[in-house]
């Protein structure tokens, strides 16, 4: 069953700060400051914590790897958590609540972005998948295009 609600033009891709170009850090921080209030759920954090603050959030970030360093593998149990959080957001909006972005960070790659989006994410943080490309074979732009293409594949 596909629960994808994003298209390649509405999917947001964000670079991981751990893999970022620190010479452009100020620009990245200004962009992030415009994102509003958010809550991060680490892999071991229960989704029920959202129930107490949904009306105050603009974004929920699910960590799909333990925070701390780049290049980690995606934790597969995040997919069930994504579906659960997406359902909570959908219910919240159906009851008159504000839209809330659902972002995933950790191990997002070409081979799993489709499944991540289908589980409910509308924003994906890709660090080593993007920054590892550098200038080889079209570099960043090629990888970003391919991530969008993979995310949109039915």
């Amino acid at each position: 069953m596909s629960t994808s609600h994003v298209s390649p033009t509405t999917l947001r891709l964000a670079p991981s700060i751990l893999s970022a170009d620190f010479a452009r850090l100020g620009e990245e921080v200004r962009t992030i400051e415009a994102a509003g209030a958010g809550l991060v759920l680490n892999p071991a954090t229960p989704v029920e914590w959202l129930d107490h603050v949904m009306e105050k959030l603009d974004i929920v970030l699910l960590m799909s790897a333990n925070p701390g360093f780049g290049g980690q593998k995606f934790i597969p149990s995040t997919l069930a958590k994504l579906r659960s959080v997406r359902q909570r957001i959908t219910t919240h909006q159906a009851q008159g609540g504000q839209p809330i972005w659902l972002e995933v960070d950790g191990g997002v790659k070409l081979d799993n972005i489709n499944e991540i989006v289908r589980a409910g994410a509308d924003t994906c943080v890709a660090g080593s998948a993007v920054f590892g490309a550098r200038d080889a074979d079209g570099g960043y732009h090629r990888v970003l295009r391919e991530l969008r293409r993979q995310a949109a594949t039915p």
Side-chain angles (χ1 to χ4, degrees):
M1 174 178 81
S2 172
T3 58
S4 179
H5 57 282
V6 296
S7 73
T9 57
T10 60
L11 174 69
R12 288 178 293 275
L13 294 172
S16 169
I17 189 98
L18 295 175
S19 302
D21 176 356
F22 285 98
R24 299 179 62 196
L25 188 58
E27 176 185 336
E28 291 298 322
V29 169
R30 284 187 293 281
T31 301
I32 291 167
E33 286 176 342
L39 180 68
V40 178
L41 299 178
N42 284 333
T45 307
V47 297
E48 292 79 15
W49 287 18
L50 285 173
D51 298 341
H52 307 285
V53 294
M54 292 281 284
E55 70 281 351
K56 298 176 181 171
L57 298 176
D58 298 299
I59 188 168
V60 173
L61 168 59
L62 294 186
M63 291 303 300
S64 47
N66 288 303
F69 59 94
Q72 293 185 63
K73 292 188 178 195
F74 180 84
I75 297 172
S77 62
T78 303
L79 295 171
K81 199 171 196 177
L82 260 169
R83 287 188 280 276
S84 177
V85 173
R86 173 52 61 201
Q87 183 57 51
R88 280 177 159 75
I89 291 171
T90 300
T91 300
H92 172 75
Q93 286 184 259
Q95 295 171 348
Q98 78 284 5
I100 300 172
W101 292 356
L102 180 51
E103 182 174 54
V104 174
D105 182 357
V108 176
K109 307 273 188 227
L110 290 171
D111 63 357
N112 64 11
I113 193 168
N114 182 272
E115 195 171 15
I116 292 167
V117 169
R118 292 169 62 91
D122 53 34
T123 306
C124 295
V125 177
S128 58
V130 173
F131 293 105
R134 303 281 179 217
D135 293 325
D137 299 324
Y140 307 135
H141 296 290
R142 180 194 59 78
V143 172
L144 290 171
R145 278 192 308 272
E146 185 61 17
L147 283 166
R148 287 190 184 284
R149 189 184 73 70
Q150 288 293 333
T153 302

